Amino acid sequence: MEGFIKLQFLLPLVLFISMAVLSSALEDYRTYIIHMDNSMMPAPFSTHHSWYMSTLASLKDDGVSPTHLYTYTHVINGFSAILSKSHVAQLHKMPGHLATFNESFGHRHTTHTPKFLGLKKHVGLWPTSGFGDDMIIGIIDTGIWPESRSFNDHDMAPVPSRWRGACETGVDFNSTNCNNKLIGARSFSKGMKQQMNISKTDDYDSPRDFMGHGTHTSSIAAGNRVPFADYFGYAKGTASGIAPKARLAMYKVLFANGSYDAAASDTLAGMDQAIEDGVDLMSLSLGFIDTPFYENPIAVGAFAAMEKGIFVACSAGNGGPHAYTILNGAPWITAVGAGTVDREFTAEVTLGEGTVHVSGKSVYPENLLVSRVPIYFGHGNRSKEICDAYSLDPKDVEGKYIFCDFSNETSVFQQRFEMYRTGAAGAIYSSESGQFLMPQDFDMPFVTMIPKFGDLVKDYLLRTDDPTVSIKFQGTQLGTKPAPQVAYFSSRGPDIRSPWILKPDILAPGVDVLAGWAPNRGSAEIGDDYLLTEYTLLSGTSMSSPHVVGIAALLKATHRDWSSAAIRSAMMTTADIFDNSNGPIIDMTTGIAGTPLDYGAGHVNPNKAMDPGLVYDIKPEDYISYLCAMNYTRDEIMLITRRSDFSCESSTLDLNYPSFIVILNNTNTTSSTFKRVLTNTVDTSASYRAVVNTPSRGMSVVVQPSTISFSGKYSTAEFNMTVTIDISLNPESDYIGNYGYLSWNEINGKHVVRSPIVSAIAA
């Protein structure tokens, strides 16, 4: 079908060519991203675009003419085009050509989270920042549903005069869909159209959101306050974005293509336009396969944004709980992992005439009346007790609920299959894996509960001749503990390409987050039916990135002179490393304490980040020195930085980052020395003392000097820290994820500036 579409489109241009030649030409006709050295542009050309177009026109026609897609202004020096292999070979010989890369494709990766983050209407970061007023957040995603109540502009001031963006017209979308909240919306699909046609039945060829993902992420970052939001009776309350007064601009680059993918050429074009339009911050809840930074469109685009003072947050990826699965690991990007919040969705189970009451998890999206329904338990037959596959007789369970006992060998996912197969009315599962179920998994009326509660149900069933069950769905429980936990799917560090910088940077809410949705897209499934809703619950690092970009908007509105690195540092050094039960943050997969390789510096704390005391700042030139130390060639660095006037004489992997990672070698002892510079962010002089906490045996840390002083705002102080890992002290440990913390505690003051120290082996 794909080949037929291209043939149909090109037929009038190549009618005189034989079908055999045409078929051969079309086979290698594809999209490329071309980097150029603009310093070599010949004098007769007045613009880079005219030079690029002339370059394309000069390519010899081999049966199919080159087709220009985008000229990029900020993210790279270059353009994208549809070319044949012959065209590419010709380009490589032309003066000014730096590199050509094949098109690649990236994949998409949230009422209660502001409260969980400690944001309050009358005190702290929200009112201090004006709720993000005047900040413009660019969201690179699947589009937006502009009619969502989250994007109403009630009480919003006029659009900032510095805004240069636009609201494009397209399928089911026009300029009237924008307002003082949604101030811009654009769509970039030229690259994707080389893979597919875009029709209204598959997606909208416009900024309108077909899938719902972009509406969700946008409303998390900056949705206005919406009362009476809920997901089929769950999570009832007032929904609010993290920066509810900030402005939104949508750049749609993700389109339906079997799944939802983004072409590299379109992603670069969206980021390029966002920079041109004047956004202050960007959030991208998508990632491309692991490649060197100079081949990764997000890394390249984010570098240009960083140079313009634009803060960029990205999802860390959903490849957890495995190590080395981080995406978007470039050090100038704030990579965000996903954590749980202190909210659970419940069903209240009453057995018999009310003698036993237990609570479990359910997000069944219907106010179903379950009253004194018979319940079946196959006691005496272990296979039937745990609901093994094909163990139950449909005749035995017809019209009944089934109870499935806990088993280490049978998961709740396998037990669900037996409920579906037998046609049981519903189920109660005693399981430790219920926490891994998503809301959309509850497409039948069932409840999961921890084995401790499951044993109460089992005891009732064993002593009752005609057991019955009553269930009340649609419960929401707040203040649950422990929270946050590291989500099982959240990608872990270290980064394969850049292991010398700890990633992810930070953790933010990313599990069962309520936010806006496309109301014509099915959200909850019941049998063969899909239920529609304005707001839905989603999980993923896709949800955590817009939380952080919203917090960054609040911080940027409060501290207009802070760089992107300073904003990230403020969030990292004030992050929480303990949960709401005062224990270390737990990895929900293992049930034990996580490490900085799981959650970075900790869970973001917006109010503390407003006043960090000190920050680790980074200049663009520092990142270039880091790229030099990564042994990138000058041409490869030029692809990222668009610069040729740089030196690698001071190259170093020791970036002035707010975290520390020791890459272990093959010897018993590994020692690394780090040099850092801290900048004072308060108006007064201050002194700080180094405090080291190393719970991991075999890690020793020496800080020189141990006391530093600052004369006033923006004054700086340097220190060195040497970390030694001695494996021989604990030979049973592989020392992966052994960690500690360096804290700079203000003397006679309130500020504590904390950084994680962790060990790892480069993959």
Side-chain angles (χ1 to χ4, degrees), residues 403-424:
F403 173 75
C404 302
D405 196 15
F406 171 73
S407 168
N408 283 318
E409 291 76 35
T410 304
S411 72
V412 68
F413 300 95
Q414 296 168 304
Q415 292 169 332
R416 284 173 65 218
F417 167 80
E418 192 65 354
M419 177 185 66
Y420 296 139
R421 186 191 69 82
T422 60

Side-chain angles (χ1 to χ4, degrees), residues 6 42 87 110 135 213 215 270 373 376 397 505 520 570 611 713:
K6 292 177 180 176
H87 295 147
T110 154
M135 290 292 103
H213 189 268
T215 301
V373 175
Y376 172 87
V397 303
D505 291 299
N520 65 341
D611 182 20
K713 193 172 186 178

